[in-house]
Amino acid sequence: DVKVTQSSRYLVKRTGEKVFLECVQDMDHENMFWYRQDPGLGLRLIYFSYDVKMKEKGDIPEGYSVSREKKERFSLILESASTNQTSMYLCASRSTGYNYGYTFGSGTRLTVV
Amino acid sequence: AQKITQTQPGMFVQEKEAVTLDCTYDTSDPSYGLFWYKQPSSGEMIFLIYQGSYDQQNATEGRYSLNFQKARKSANLVISASQLGDSAMYFCAMWEEDFGNEKLTFGTGTRLTIIP
């Protein structure tokens, strides 16, 4: 069964900490995405990547960075976590040229205290 | 303007009844795709159904159908014979591609509760 795996289901971090959210897919997909989900706002795109070492800003990139050193892994980095980054984070992937079938991970619920 | 609008924050429906979840979208691109996803309390986004902008027929997947009205820019999800397991958040999303950059934009979601 194809999968997108997010390393942590729940995470609690302190303000100012550097936080890494990891996402791994086993489908050999080129495209990977990071979204955050907040009540009443739906899902909003933070960053995406079309290939290894390639990244593009989404709608709300401020306060975040990403890393894609290997095709299967896409990391979201909070350089200095703040309380307004408390949210559910969802990773997704899909294959190029296949315009449906985004596969999502189960999400990481991050709380910054 | 919102790209994807879901006007129903919550809905309560009796088990076995049909339910329609509303979704309107806004785009000037002739080529786009529309998705519906289900998100149960476990958090995972589950793909339900897809409609391409050039598809002539409304998409159907089992109990799910998409009522696509292109002129009205409407893509409502219809669930027939609802079940208790259908209780979840439902998101409408639109896929667009612009000079090789793709984007999947989500609505704010509808929380569906099925009543026994």
Side-chain angles (χ1 to χ4, degrees):
Chain A
D1 195 15
V2 294
K3 265 191 173 176
V4 175
T5 303
Q6 294 183 232
S7 54
S8 303
R9 188 75 178 92
Y10 298 95
L11 214 52
V12 179
K13 294 292 182 181
R14 294 195 180 278
T15 302
E17 275 192 77
K18 189 169 185 176
V19 181
F20 291 86
L21 302 184
E22 305 288 347
C23 176
V24 177
Q25 51 97 0
D26 64 1
M27 298 164 282
D28 202 34
H29 284 172
E30 294 85 0
N31 307 296
M32 297 188 74
F33 309 84
W34 274 107
Y35 288 86
R36 68 175 279 177
Q37 181 181 2
D38 300 288
L41 296 177
L43 278 74
R44 293 177 291 167
L45 182 64
I46 306 171
Y47 266 97
F48 58 99
S49 169
Y50 290 140
D51 204 349
V52 175
K53 297 191 186 296
M54 180 271 177
K55 60 186 179 184
E56 293 285 343
K57 293 180 180 179
D59 297 320
I60 52 164
E62 296 79 18
Y64 303 94
S65 63
V66 290
S67 172
R68 193 161 180 207
E69 295 296 318
K70 294 184 178 182
K71 190 176 186 180
E72 66 270 19
R73 186 180 295 270
F74 192 35
S75 303
L76 180 69
I77 304 159
L78 288 66
E79 294 289 342
S80 178
S82 64
T83 54
N84 63 12
Q85 292 178 309
T86 292
S87 186
M88 169 73 97
Y89 291 87
L90 288 158
C91 176
S93 75
R94 77 165 194 89
S95 184
T96 298
Y98 189 63
N99 65 354
Y100 57 98
Y102 281 65
T103 302
F104 282 84
S106 298
T108 295
R109 189 169 292 280
L110 173 68
T111 302
V112 182
V113 298
Chain B
Q2 293 287 334
K3 282 267 188 180
I4 294 284
T5 302
Q6 294 181 253
T7 58
Q8 306 151 309
M11 287 188 70
F12 291 85
V13 173
Q14 203 74 39
E15 189 181 7
K16 298 181 184 175
E17 287 186 356
V19 56
T20 298
L21 304 182
D22 294 340
C23 174
T24 57
Y25 60 92
D26 182 27
T27 182
S28 56
D29 192 338
S31 178
Y32 54 90
L34 296 155
F35 296 80
W36 278 92
Y37 282 88
K38 172 184 178 182
Q39 187 182 43
S41 56
S42 60
E44 187 176 355
M45 298 287 282
I46 301 168
F47 166 73
L48 294 179
I49 197 166
Y50 169 80
Q51 179 87 40
S53 59
Y54 294 118
D55 292 344
Q56 296 296 314
Q57 293 187 322
N58 286 345
T60 60
E61 290 284 350
R63 293 187 300 115
Y64 303 108
S65 61
L66 199 152
N67 184 2
F68 183 46
Q69 298 189 38
K70 197 170 183 177
R72 294 186 176 185
K73 294 187 176 179
S74 165
N76 297 341
L77 177 71
V78 179
I79 306 174
S80 63
S82 58
Q83 303 170 356
L84 296 179
D86 294 333
S87 294
M89 281 290 287
Y90 288 81
F91 290 95
C92 180
M94 179 170 65
W95 182 90
E96 298 171 283
E97 189 173 23
D98 182 22
F99 298 103
N101 290 329
E102 66 173 85
K103 194 171 183 181
L104 186 66
T105 305
F106 285 81
T108 54
T110 297
R111 182 171 296 281
L112 176 65
T113 303
I114 306 299
I115 305 166

